[in-house]
Amino acid sequence: MNNEVTTFIETIQEPWQRELCAGLRETVRGAVPDVQERIQYKKPHFLKNGKYAAVISTSKDAVSFTIFNAAGLELPAGRFDGPPERKTMKLKRGDAFDAAQLSALVVQAAAGL
């Protein structure tokens, strides 16, 4: 685990955002055991073989989670948007995510990296 990513998550002001980010991080780490973490562009990025697998970002009222290498994924309807190569899910206060489903998507996307 990268200390900069840990610090990033621990210093998020909104508790609900901090909780979502920690859960998303654990989902990625479980899906891609050899994942490399780093802060880039002031956001946690997760890499496999030096290529982006996922990124977490926060805004005033949301947490966004992007999966890279997503062109072949069968995504849940209405949950993700973006161009074919990367899909983003936006979570707002009170939203939850299906960790098992998200993990399976990350595993599938990261397999091609």
Side-chain angles (χ1 to χ4, degrees), residues 21-105:
C21 288
L24 290 165
R25 180 188 195 189
E26 288 308 310
T27 299
V28 173
R29 292 185 60 76
V32 186
D34 57 344
V35 74
Q36 300 159 322
E37 300 179 325
R38 71 176 177 206
I39 296 293
Q40 188 173 1
Y41 309 113
K42 300 180 182 178
K43 301 177 234 185
H45 284 70
F46 303 90
L47 298 91
K48 180 178 177 187
N49 298 324
K51 297 178 182 175
Y52 295 127
V55 65
I56 298 171
S57 63
T58 58
S59 62
K60 183 178 177 181
D61 64 348
V63 172
S64 295
F65 181 76
T66 302
I67 300 174
F68 291 85
N69 197 36
L73 300 180
E74 290 193 33
L75 300 165
R79 192 69 174 170
F80 289 83
D81 62 0
E85 68 276 3
R86 65 181 181 275
K87 295 293 185 179
T88 301
M89 170 178 61
K90 188 179 265 190
L91 300 161
K92 298 197 174 220
R93 183 189 300 262
D95 287 348
F97 64 93
D98 182 332
Q101 181 183 57
L102 189 59
S103 178
L105 292 170

